[in-house]
Amino acid sequence: MDDQVNGQRNPIPPGELMQGWMGRGEVAEALGISPTTLQRWQTRRIGPPCVRIGRRVFYRADAFREWMISQERGPVVSKRTGSAR
């Protein structure tokens, strides 16, 4: 998206354009896994949603947080004792 000022195109600065997006390395670091594992998850469609542009992969920060929340599970209840672990 370009802004028009006096009929001239003013491109959005790259830093502003990528605000709210994370690279594969950033997401992998946040999860404590390798970028290779994250790439494997992408091919199996089990990881956070991403956007591929050429050879680069980006993750929307808000979508990454939503995916993290969706992975949350309640406490594990033991079938033997009925108590949470």
Side-chain angles (χ1 to χ4, degrees), residues 68-80:
M68 289 282 294
I69 291 167
S70 76
Q71 301 305 300
E72 186 175 17
R73 295 192 173 111
V76 177
V77 178
S78 171
K79 291 182 181 180
R80 292 182 190 166

Side-chain angles (χ1 to χ4, degrees), residues 25-38:
E26 292 174 280
V27 172
E29 185 177 336
L31 293 172
I33 60 173
S34 72
T36 305
T37 298
L38 193 55

Side-chain angles (χ1 to χ4, degrees), residues 8-72:
Q8 303 260 338
R9 291 181 113 183
N10 288 333
I12 299 170
E16 196 175 308
L17 179 65
M18 295 305 294
Q19 188 175 7
W21 292 88
M22 303 168 71
R24 182 178 280 152
E26 292 174 280
V27 172
E29 185 177 336
L31 293 172
I33 60 173
S34 72
T36 305
T37 298
L38 193 55
Q39 183 177 10
R40 193 174 320 112
W41 287 3
Q42 179 189 348
T43 60
R44 294 179 182 170
R45 299 179 189 242
I46 60 174
C50 63
V51 173
R52 189 173 194 74
I53 301 174
R55 295 182 178 182
R56 304 214 39 207
V57 176
F58 299 98
Y59 299 83
R60 194 168 47 88
D62 290 339
F64 173 61
R65 285 186 204 98
E66 290 170 16
W67 177 81
M68 289 282 294
I69 291 167
S70 76
Q71 301 305 300
E72 186 175 17

